[in-house]
Amino acid sequence: MHRLQDIQAIAFDLDGTLVDSVPGLALAAQNMLADLNLDTITNEQIKNFVGNGIDVMLERVFKAINVIPSAEQLAQAKALFNKHYDKVMDAETKLFPHVKETLKTLHENQYPLALVTNKPAQFLPALLSSLGIKEYFSLVLGGGDVIKLKPHPAPLYQVMATFGLFSDQLLFVGDSKNDITAAQNAKCPTVALTYGYNYGISIATSNPDFLFDDFKDILTLLPQPKAEAKK
């Protein structure tokens, strides 16, 4: 297996990479639509709408039910969605297999870890705490923390500036074309995970540097013995 000898830190996407957030997002959206007396949507539809932040997701929800909302209706919908999501997010969001133990291994081996997500920053502290992974991240960037969301490279530039890194020293791990494009634009090496969302399209089409089915395989890229899992 090819190893990346220069990697000094690792950044991760959240939804579809570390966590399966679809059940919570779908339930909040379904409750929002019920409040508005509108047709509902399925979990599978929401899975294909995730990745560009809440505003874009809600626009896709309305398009799916053939409703053209006014700006006022969109604002009302967002407020309702946020209210419902805040209630169900913790219980309905689960870590994917091997995520926690892999983050723990990386943290113990002194890799600075960053979270780079388009999810609104307001939800992140409580969610990361409830999942038991908050302590592993030195930097957390969500929607509202950066001037541009992925696929713009700005969030990764911010990570590199914070950690004092060159682009080839930061590995970015994600599940969608937004993640891979952001990292490619920032000239960072990329890992794509096949189990994520990516709008129902194979992430292989985004040409990541590495493609894995299992989160723990990230460890195989890093120098030994630094990335050896604790037994």
Side-chain angles (χ1 to χ4, degrees):
M1 167 64 72
H2 177 72
R3 297 191 187 278
L4 299 174
Q5 299 296 331
D6 296 329
I7 295 301
Q8 300 297 313
I10 307 165
F12 300 90
D13 172 53
L14 180 63
D15 296 338
T17 298
L18 303 183
V19 301
D20 183 5
S21 55
V22 165
L25 292 169
L27 183 56
Q30 289 156 0
N31 289 340
M32 172 203 77
L33 292 169
D35 288 346
L36 297 172
N37 295 312
L38 294 172
D39 292 338
T40 195
I41 55 169
T42 67
N43 286 32
E44 191 63 28
Q45 285 175 296
I46 283 290
K47 182 177 181 179
N48 293 329
F49 298 162
V50 176
N52 297 92
I54 296 299
D55 289 347
V56 175
M57 189 192 78
L58 292 180
E59 290 173 4
R60 291 169 176 159
V61 166
F62 279 109
K63 184 176 180 180
I65 61 172
N66 297 312
V67 172
I68 302 175
S70 65
E72 182 179 347
Q73 287 172 317
L74 269 178
Q76 181 187 13
K78 185 176 180 179
L80 288 169
F81 175 87
N82 287 343
K83 180 187 74 171
H84 288 300
Y85 191 50
D86 192 52
K87 292 178 181 177
V88 304
M89 176 178 59
D90 289 355
E92 298 292 336
T93 305
K94 307 296 182 185
L95 291 171
F96 284 114
H98 306 134
V99 166
K100 188 170 185 177
E101 52 265 50
T102 302
L103 293 178
K104 182 174 185 287
T105 295
L106 293 169
H107 179 72
E108 288 176 345
N109 285 293
Q110 301 180 1
Y111 283 100
L113 305 181
L115 185 71
V116 179
T117 174
N118 289 347
K119 185 186 288 293
Q122 71 196 68
F123 295 120
L124 299 178
L127 178 60
L128 295 178
S129 293
S130 72
L131 293 167
I133 60 174
K134 184 178 180 180
E135 65 185 289
Y136 301 136
F137 293 100
S138 303
L139 178 64
V140 174
L141 298 176
D145 291 331
V146 293
I147 58 172
K148 295 283 188 179
L149 298 178
K150 299 174 294 181
H152 197 282
L156 295 183
Y157 291 147
Q158 192 164 331
V159 174
M160 287 186 277
T162 300
F163 290 162
L165 302 176
F166 294 110
S167 59
D168 62 353
Q169 296 175 314
L170 178 67
L171 177 65
F172 190 59
V173 180
D175 72 297
S176 80
K177 63 182 180 181
N178 288 333
D179 301 321
I180 304 308
T181 299
Q184 289 170 340
N185 288 339
K187 309 299 183 186
C188 296
T190 57
V191 169
L193 297 162
T194 60
Y195 56 71
Y197 305 150
N198 198 38
Y199 317 105
I201 302 168
S202 170
I203 190 59
T205 62
S206 294
N207 299 311
D209 295 308
F210 303 94
L211 185 67
F212 293 139
D213 299 325
D214 193 316
F215 189 83
K216 71 177 184 293
D217 289 343
I218 296 162
L219 298 176
T220 66
L221 295 177
L222 303 172
Q224 302 291 345
K226 190 172 187 180
E228 286 182 345
K230 307 293 185 186
K231 293 185 178 179

